[in-house]
Amino acid sequence: MRLGEFLLVAVLALPALGALAVAATPRDRAARAVGTAVAALTLVAAALLFLGDRTWVTHAADAPAVRPWHRLDLPWVPGLDLRLHLGVDGISWPLVVLTALLTLLCCGYTMWKVPDGGSGRALVALLLVVEVGILGTFLALDLVLFFVFFEVVLLPMYAIIAGWGGADRRRAAVKFALYTLFGSVLLLVGVFVVVSAAGTADIVALTGGTGLSRGTQLAAFTLLALAFAVKSPLWPLHSWLPDAHTQAPTVGSVVLAGVLLKMGTYGLIRIAVGVAPEGARWAAPVLGVLAVTAILVGSLVCLAQRELKRLIAYSSVGHMGFVLLGVATLTTTGIQAALIGNVAHGVITGLLFFIAGAVRDRTHTGSLDELSGLRETAPRLAGLLGFAAVASLGLPGLAGFWGEAFAVVAAVEVGGALWTTLGVLAAVGGALTAAYLLRLLRRVTHGRPSAAVGRLTPGLAGVELVAWAPLVLLALAVGLAPTLVLGVAEAPVEALVEVLR
Amino acid sequence: MSVVQSVDNVALLPAYLAAGTAVLVLLADLLVARGRVTLATAAVGAAATALGAVLVGAGGERRTFCVGPDCSYVFGGRAALVAGVVALLTLGVLVLSGPLLRAGQSPTGEYCFLLACSMTGGVVLGAAGDLITLIVALETLTLPLYVLVGLRRGSLASAEAAVTFFVVSVVATTLTLLGAALLYAATGGLHLGRIGAILADRPDLLDLPLTTAAVALVVLGLAFKVAAVPFHAWAPATYDGAPLPVAAYLSTASKLGGVVALLAVVQYALPADVTGPVLALLAVLTMTVGNLVALRQRRTVRLLAWSSVAQAGYILAPLGALALTAGRAADARTAAYAAAVTYAVFFVVLELAAFAAVVALRPAGADGGTVDDLRGAARRHPWRAAALGLALVGLAGLPPGLVGLFAKVTVVRSLLDGGAGWLAVVVALNAVIGLAYYLRLTAALWAAPAGAPAVVAVRARTVGVVLAVTTAAALVLGFAPQLVLDLAAR
């Protein structure tokens, strides 16, 4: 077995076996430590996937549009066209590393603080199972395997929300489970529409839509896009998200916003657009309009929002709107904007949810009416909140900027009345994003300290600093050097756009 | 023409073993008269039957009782699969019945004898090659169950359930028999293959009202047995009134029997373009009504009963797609039959695990109780509750119940291969409704216990063994579903 194959197996097997080990460790604190160590090893394995030969020959006539750096292809259930076919390339690798990083930070965070509701051991085990599902989704190069991993995430995430969440957690968790399952059963149908028409489930062979009739592609794209629109989520299928985020424990929100939503946008790029490009071209205007509506609706709802976590949750709807707009343009610029927007949103929103969780744990409230003057009593927390909010609103030099700006640029570049209008409206949405995040800062950090805020002490726990520092640094690094993400993604995106033409 | 037929006794070995078990149980009860011995005899007999089915099935297809090319008894790969699964289910149910019988609520000898008789019917059923053998085998499977359902001493619900079940089932059998007679009148054949060939050769026969009526009666009569909507009303009341292990048998072995009978008739005898639309309609109604009503259930066994009604809909769905595949390649049709069998096998494994877990979480000899009775069960019995959770999640078709996921994948795949995309979407949406109530029951297991004092769960190690073995089987099949896919396709 070569190093690359070994690493691909390790990235999935480590958290899977780790979850079992955590569940089997008798003492709660020791179990959490085991989980954190496993998550750290997974991150190392995920980062090492970068090693090896990544040379690309994009202009070779018969080169497939997906050329993974490493791949592993073993039969599993031939009767269902299911192969254990894994691979990593420049589109998936940044997301794989982001997933491993956020899971590590969440596991480390539970070392310090376990939310009320259940044992820390079970929470860490579930986080690791969720990680297996997400990483598997990003690594799968077989449509059926992709679907299986897509489903793996559902119930552990449900359990995290239902077990460790806020007061109204059961309803939110059930809503999350039913919405997500609605998406994934459509994915199941969509996958087999493709597989039974093409006779193979190999994503490498299928990318470019070769051999699929126009009708099949339209049907497949509709089903797949709906499935991923629920997960991303795209307006109007987003209504599970605010409830799930508001009720989930801090670590649940971080994983949910940071990487779970990315399964939808990644699937849209790799599966829906890749496998049914004809369908993608056909549906692109609809997707673009919905994405811009999501941006505007998300921003407007945020402007009227009175709850901290709910506001951040709705801001995700807006930010994912930019990502989907980028995908909908079907251009190199647009898809690259989508990829960097994905990573940036994962980093920044992860940080925002960590901070919101810290504010809530300290003040026992999330209501904007009861929070004010945070900078007076907890200047460091207020400073970090300010940094995260400014990064989220897309200040140039921070990670949020590239995704939003280039999604707008891509839309305008496509040209024509529709796309120009969409670009302009998206830019307006960007301005609204700035407005609601600044409103958030004004309400929470400025003014006289409210009763709830007045009790706070200025210090931050060491674990909090350790958990947040990587996200702060990444937000800066990706903002200053977007090539960190775009460098590896450039070649595969160009190859993908090549087959779209 | 020779009057003496040569009989292939090897092909009949599983049936001999099953029938022999019934006789032995009767003798053991008469001569030794100790409950434990009787139960052990029945269990060993069931295990031997399963082993016999596997050994005979491994050797390739065997036919006997033949008239020319038509055979009444065809023991191939699928027959072996059905016989083996029925025998193992019987074994599991026998062991689960231990606490019930020790509590003295049902007479051990009769109980074991009737279960062994029912097993005999199930073992023969998969191999039936003509309509008479098929109906006799199906009746041998269900007849003992009327008594078993009512065998709980001093329970009015049990007696009511038995009467409901008896009346409905007799009506269903009458319909099927009438249909078979009309089919014989129209075609002059009784062997499934022969009827199929005659109907294919002479399409004009299908225009006769008599043939249409015959086909409809056979299909509808069998639809009663699988509890397909609108012929389902007996199932929830019967399951809930029956002793728990019998309810488990009803929703697994008995349902599997109905499916196998329907499959045999549809696959070999009746034209797919006539039965297809009927079955598609039945499938849609069955899954939708079953799921919607299950949403409102408060009693555990009723919830499982309605869910198993819904599951019957998923099993029927691939058969419903046949109408569209009538003109298609034979392999698409074979795939649809294989999908139905595969789903049925995966389903019975999960259903048995679910019932075993409910038996394990309830006091000895008790009924299923309400969902609230199971609240917080995970705090007292983490492993048993985890097994129930796994089975329920599998029935909902989600990981970690991978076997249920693959069952659903198999059905959706066969529907899309058969060009019935709309039916695949209906199946998919029903899976979402299904999750709502499976999740409610599963979440209750881990919820904070209700105020009522905790009931003491049964303390029988044997029940735990059945639960562990069934759960292990579900896990293994979840990682290697190809084992069943291969057998079902043969």
Side-chain angles (χ1 to χ4, degrees):
Chain A
M1 193 181 256
R2 286 197 308 268
L3 175 70
E5 296 177 345
F6 173 76
L7 286 174
L8 283 172
V9 173
V11 165
L12 290 179
L14 274 173
L17 296 176
L20 291 178
V22 169
T25 309
R27 284 187 40 237
D28 198 81
R29 194 172 167 77
R32 283 180 277 156
V34 169
T36 311
V38 167
L41 285 176
T42 313
L43 176 61
V44 172
L48 285 179
L49 281 172
F50 190 67
L51 297 178
D53 181 26
R54 300 192 309 282
T55 46
W56 267 73
V57 191
T58 38
H59 298 293
D62 56 345
V66 179
R67 296 197 51 194
W69 302 340
H70 313 289
R71 65 196 278 186
L72 173 74
D73 195 358
L74 299 169
W76 184 3
V77 189
L80 298 173
D81 285 323
L82 173 56
R83 299 180 67 81
L84 200 65
H85 189 178
L86 303 169
V88 64
D89 71 355
I91 296 182
S92 53
W93 183 72
L95 292 169
V96 168
V97 175
L98 181 67
T99 310
L101 175 69
L102 283 180
T103 311
L104 171 62
L105 297 184
C106 288
C107 286
Y109 193 75
T110 44
M111 285 298 292
W112 174 65
K113 179 170 175 53
V114 179
D116 296 335
S119 74
R121 180 177 57 188
L123 180 60
V124 169
L126 287 171
L127 280 172
L128 289 175
V129 177
V130 169
E131 185 184 22
V132 175
I134 300 177
L135 289 176
T137 311
F138 291 147
L139 293 177
L141 284 182
D142 180 288
L143 275 181
V144 186
L145 186 68
F146 178 91
F147 165 75
V148 171
F149 277 119
F150 204 82
E151 292 273 62
V152 165
V153 177
L154 201 158
L155 282 178
M157 198 66 218
Y158 162 84
I160 289 178
I161 301 175
W164 288 265
D168 194 21
R169 56 183 184 267
R170 292 205 179 281
R171 206 181 50 81
V174 168
K175 198 168 172 183
F176 163 78
L178 293 184
Y179 257 96
T180 317
L181 184 64
F182 170 72
S184 53
V185 293
L186 292 181
L187 175 64
L188 170 64
V189 178
V191 160
F192 278 103
V193 165
V194 173
V195 172
S196 58
T200 173
D202 184 357
I203 292 178
V204 176
L206 282 168
T207 301
T210 37
L212 294 182
S213 69
R214 183 177 157 82
T216 312
Q217 288 203 28
L218 300 196
F221 187 84
T222 311
L223 287 163
L224 294 171
L226 267 174
F228 297 131
V230 173
K231 197 83 171 185
S232 308
L234 177 61
W235 184 87
L237 296 170
H238 67 283
S239 66
W240 62 269
L241 178 114
D243 287 342
H245 271 314
T246 316
Q247 298 302 327
T250 301
V251 287
S253 297
V254 170
V255 170
L256 196 57
V259 279
L260 210 91
L261 307 185
K262 279 41 177 199
M263 290 163 64
T265 42
Y266 173 80
L268 198 64
I269 296 172
R270 166 122 307 153
I271 313 284
V273 172
V275 170
E278 183 110 23
R281 276 197 295 277
W282 167 73
V286 180
L287 211 56
V289 170
L290 289 177
V292 170
T293 316
I295 298 172
L296 294 174
V297 170
S299 315
L300 291 173
V301 172
C302 279
L303 271 176
Q305 210 44 250
R306 313 176 77 85
E307 219 275 341
L308 186 58
K309 277 183 101 175
R310 222 175 157 78
L311 189 151
I312 302 171
Y314 265 109
S315 83
S316 290
V317 176
H319 284 121
M320 295 320 275
F322 279 104
V323 173
L324 291 166
L325 177 66
V327 179
T329 61
L330 299 179
T331 60
T332 314
T333 320
I335 293 181
Q336 289 208 348
L339 288 175
I340 197 166
N342 253 346
V343 174
H345 177 260
V347 171
I348 297 168
T349 310
L351 182 59
L352 270 173
F353 271 117
F354 265 132
I355 296 170
V359 169
R360 196 162 159 157
D361 287 340
R362 286 171 165 76
T363 61
H364 306 289
T365 176
S367 165
L368 294 188
D369 298 333
E370 295 174 39
L371 292 171
S372 71
L374 195 65
R375 65 173 185 165
E376 304 286 338
T377 54
R380 290 179 199 156
L381 198 57
L384 277 169
L385 178 64
F387 175 82
V390 167
S392 182
L393 67 79
L395 190 76
L398 294 174
F401 169 71
W402 302 104
E404 294 195 10
F406 280 93
V408 174
V409 169
V412 174
E413 266 180 5
V414 174
L418 173 70
W419 287 100
T420 311
T421 318
L422 288 179
V424 170
L425 286 175
V428 172
L432 288 174
T433 308
Y436 69 74
L437 283 164
L438 291 175
R439 166 179 170 268
L440 167 76
L441 284 183
R442 184 175 60 78
R443 300 281 301 256
V444 175
T445 62
H446 289 59
R448 295 170 64 86
S450 65
V453 174
R455 295 191 296 269
L456 297 190
T457 51
L460 289 178
V463 177
E464 290 179 318
L465 283 177
V466 173
W468 302 346
L471 297 177
V472 173
L473 291 177
L474 264 181
L476 270 172
V478 174
L480 293 174
T483 179
L484 280 177
V485 176
L486 296 183
V488 291
E490 191 175 4
V493 169
E494 268 172 13
L496 179 65
V497 172
E498 197 70 28
V499 297
L500 288 178
R501 297 219 175 90
Chain B
M1 185 177 153
S2 164
V3 189
V4 181
Q5 269 187 335
S6 74
V7 175
D8 181 355
N9 286 307
V10 178
L12 288 167
L13 182 68
Y16 291 153
L17 283 169
T21 305
V23 175
L24 267 183
V25 167
L26 209 55
L27 288 177
D29 187 42
L30 196 67
L31 301 178
V32 187
R34 285 182 52 189
R36 199 175 286 261
V37 175
T38 315
L39 194 59
T41 314
V44 170
T49 310
L51 189 66
V54 170
L55 289 180
V56 177
E61 193 177 88
R62 305 183 84 99
R63 299 162 164 263
T64 188
F65 300 125
C66 293
V67 182
D70 305 316
C71 297
S72 296
Y73 193 90
V74 186
F75 202 88
R78 190 188 295 164
L81 180 66
V82 172
V85 171
V86 168
L88 289 178
L89 287 172
T90 312
L91 177 63
V93 169
L94 276 168
V95 180
L96 283 185
S97 310
L100 174 84
L101 297 175
R102 260 197 303 270
Q105 292 197 351
S106 305
T108 307
E110 286 85 338
Y111 188 95
C112 294
F113 169 70
L114 288 169
L115 216 48
C117 287
S118 178
M119 171 176 78
T120 313
V123 167
V124 175
L125 185 63
D130 68 42
L131 279 174
I132 305 250
T133 313
L134 188 80
I135 293 172
V136 169
L138 192 56
E139 276 315 293
T140 315
L141 174 66
T142 38
L143 207 68
L145 294 176
Y146 309 146
V147 188
L148 278 174
V149 168
L151 211 56
R152 212 163 71 195
R153 283 193 187 123
S155 166
L156 193 62
S158 188
E160 271 178 17
V163 172
T164 317
F165 183 37
F166 175 70
V167 171
V168 171
S169 214
V170 165
V171 171
T173 310
T174 319
L175 288 183
T176 315
L177 271 175
L178 183 59
L182 293 181
L183 214 51
Y184 177 66
T187 63
L190 266 179
H191 290 91
L192 300 172
R194 158 75 30 136
I195 296 174
I198 292 173
L199 288 177
D201 277 351
R202 297 183 47 200
D204 57 300
L205 275 179
L206 286 174
D207 298 334
L208 287 178
L210 184 67
T211 322
T212 317
V215 170
L217 285 172
V218 170
V219 170
L220 297 187
L222 294 176
F224 266 108
K225 298 281 180 188
V226 293
V229 174
F231 314 111
H232 63 288
W234 61 272
T238 308
Y239 287 17
D240 202 17
L244 266 179
V246 176
Y249 191 82
L250 274 172
S251 70
T252 54
S254 167
K255 179 155 294 200
L256 184 67
V259 169
V260 169
L262 199 53
L263 202 63
V265 169
V266 172
Q267 182 171 8
Y268 299 115
L270 304 181
D273 48 345
V274 178
T275 55
V278 179
L279 288 171
L281 183 66
L282 280 180
V284 171
L285 279 177
T286 306
M287 60 182 104
T288 313
V289 172
N291 275 325
L292 288 178
V293 181
L295 281 176
R296 297 175 43 85
Q297 298 307 311
R298 292 272 170 269
R299 292 184 62 79
T300 311
V301 174
R302 278 197 186 246
L303 192 147
L304 287 176
W306 280 104
S307 95
S308 91
V309 168
Q311 300 278 351
Y314 302 141
I315 301 176
L316 291 180
L319 304 181
L322 289 177
L324 299 151
T325 51
R328 283 169 185 261
D331 55 339
R333 300 187 52 176
T334 321
Y337 301 125
V341 174
T342 310
Y343 193 99
V345 171
F346 288 164
F347 161 71
V348 295
V349 172
L350 289 168
E351 186 84 349
L352 183 69
F355 269 102
V358 173
V359 171
L361 287 171
R362 298 282 298 156
D367 63 1
T370 64
V371 174
D372 284 338
D373 291 338
L374 291 176
R375 266 183 86 88
R379 296 180 191 225
R380 300 189 296 274
H381 306 285
W383 289 104
R384 294 173 182 190
L388 179 54
L390 186 75
L392 290 172
V393 164
L395 286 172
L398 281 174
L402 271 179
V403 59
L405 178 76
F406 286 128
K408 215 136 281 174
V409 168
T410 313
V411 165
V412 167
R413 181 196 157 87
S414 84
L415 288 175
L416 286 167
D417 279 347
W422 64 275
L423 203 51
V425 173
V426 174
V427 167
L429 295 181
N430 264 290
V432 181
I433 309 178
L435 180 67
Y437 58 83
Y438 287 123
L439 211 49
R440 182 159 62 85
L441 186 49
T442 312
L445 295 173
W446 275 273
V455 284
V456 184
V458 61
R459 237 188 274 149
R461 196 163 294 155
T462 46
V463 173
V465 170
V466 176
L467 184 55
V469 170
T470 329
T471 309
L475 283 175
V476 169
L477 287 179
F479 283 101
Q482 192 64 33
L483 295 173
V484 175
L485 285 169
D486 281 343
L487 278 177
R490 276 213 288 160

